[in-house]
Amino acid sequence: TNPDPAGKVPAIEKAVGRRDLSVVPQLVKDLDDEDPAVRFYAIYALRELTGEEFGYRYFYDRDQRKPYVLRWNQWLAKWQAERPAEQSPKK
């Protein structure tokens, strides 16, 4: 949740290394970050942790990203609903 990309990017890499699924909701939020580096690492991490990307491209402008971010949010809601309560990431 660090707003500074200099802190956020290493945290994302660390979460991927630990296979930490609790970060998935934040990564989905980060797909719409104004910093392209944050978006790049967010989709990289989501792909590594979930195996999905849904056609999302970090370099798209906000309007181009909108349908992909919506798709990710729909996926997230379903994913969270299907996971046992003890394994669901915190919101």
Side-chain angles (χ1 to χ4, degrees):
T1 59
N2 187 337
D4 180 9
K8 187 174 284 259
V9 169
I12 291 171
E13 290 176 328
K14 187 174 181 181
V16 169
R18 291 189 323 245
R19 308 285 305 158
D20 182 358
L21 296 177
S22 72
V23 301
V24 168
Q26 182 61 49
L27 293 171
V28 171
K29 287 180 188 175
D30 289 341
L31 294 175
D32 208 26
D33 195 276
E34 57 185 57
D35 188 307
V38 171
R39 297 192 308 264
F40 173 84
Y41 279 96
I43 194 60
Y44 154 76
L46 286 166
R47 189 173 39 246
E48 291 294 313
L49 294 172
T50 71
E52 302 289 351
E53 69 177 40
F54 302 119
Y56 175 90
R57 299 295 179 258
Y58 77 93
F59 50 83
Y60 285 173
D61 67 31
R62 176 164 265 171
D63 288 338
Q64 290 173 308
R65 290 191 317 267
K66 193 172 191 173
Y68 301 102
V69 171
L70 176 62
R71 175 66 182 107
W72 268 106
N73 279 295
Q74 292 168 339
W75 175 90
L76 179 61
K78 183 177 182 213
W79 182 76
Q80 288 176 317
E82 291 175 351
R83 293 175 58 80
E86 68 276 1
Q87 292 182 5
S88 291
K90 305 274 187 256
K91 287 187 177 181

